[in-house]
Amino acid sequence: MTANAKIAPIAVSAVTSGAGSSGFDTRRDATAQEAENAARYRLVIEEGPQKGSFIYKTLDRLTGEIVRQLPREDLVRMMETQRYAAGAVIDTSV
C-alpha cells in the first residue's frame, strides 16, 4: 500500500438473493401462508339431534360462513326424523 492512498466510499446498489435460488424463501413463504390459512378457520363441535351424535363444522373466521360440515346437512335432517335408524339410509326392499 502506498502512504498517500485515499479511501473514498462508493455507491452500492441493494443486492437481493433470488427467491428461487435456494428454495428456502419459497418454503418459508409456503409455511407462513399455510399457518395464516390455518388460523383463519375454526372448528366448532355441536351436539347432534340424536343422543351421542355430533356435528363438526369448519367456520371461516373472517366471513362467518360454514366451509365444511360433517355429517352433511341432508343427513342431519334425516337424523331428525322418527324413521331414521342406522342402516336405514338406503331402502333396498323395492
Side-chain angles (χ1 to χ4, degrees):
M1 294 196 99
T2 61
N4 59 0
K6 292 184 180 179
I7 300 175
I10 58 171
V12 178
S13 61
V15 178
T16 59
S17 62
S21 62
S22 68
F24 180 74
D25 291 339
T26 305
R27 284 184 300 217
R28 184 174 51 199
D29 290 344
T31 303
Q33 182 67 34
E34 186 177 318
E36 187 176 311
N37 286 340
R40 181 176 178 167
Y41 300 110
R42 181 177 74 159
L43 176 65
V44 176
I45 303 172
E46 299 175 348
E47 190 172 353
Q50 292 184 343
K51 183 179 178 182
S53 66
F54 296 95
I55 301 170
Y56 301 89
K57 295 179 181 179
T58 304
L59 299 177
D60 186 327
R61 289 179 188 257
L62 299 177
T63 64
E65 90 176 284
I66 297 172
V67 177
R68 180 178 292 165
Q69 176 178 322
L70 295 172
R72 295 184 182 183
E73 285 186 39
D74 298 340
L75 186 56
V76 172
R77 278 196 296 270
M78 288 173 52
M79 291 169 64
E80 292 172 344
T81 64
Q82 295 291 331
R83 295 180 14 180
Y84 178 81
V89 176
I90 300 173
D91 185 9
T92 59
S93 63
V94 179

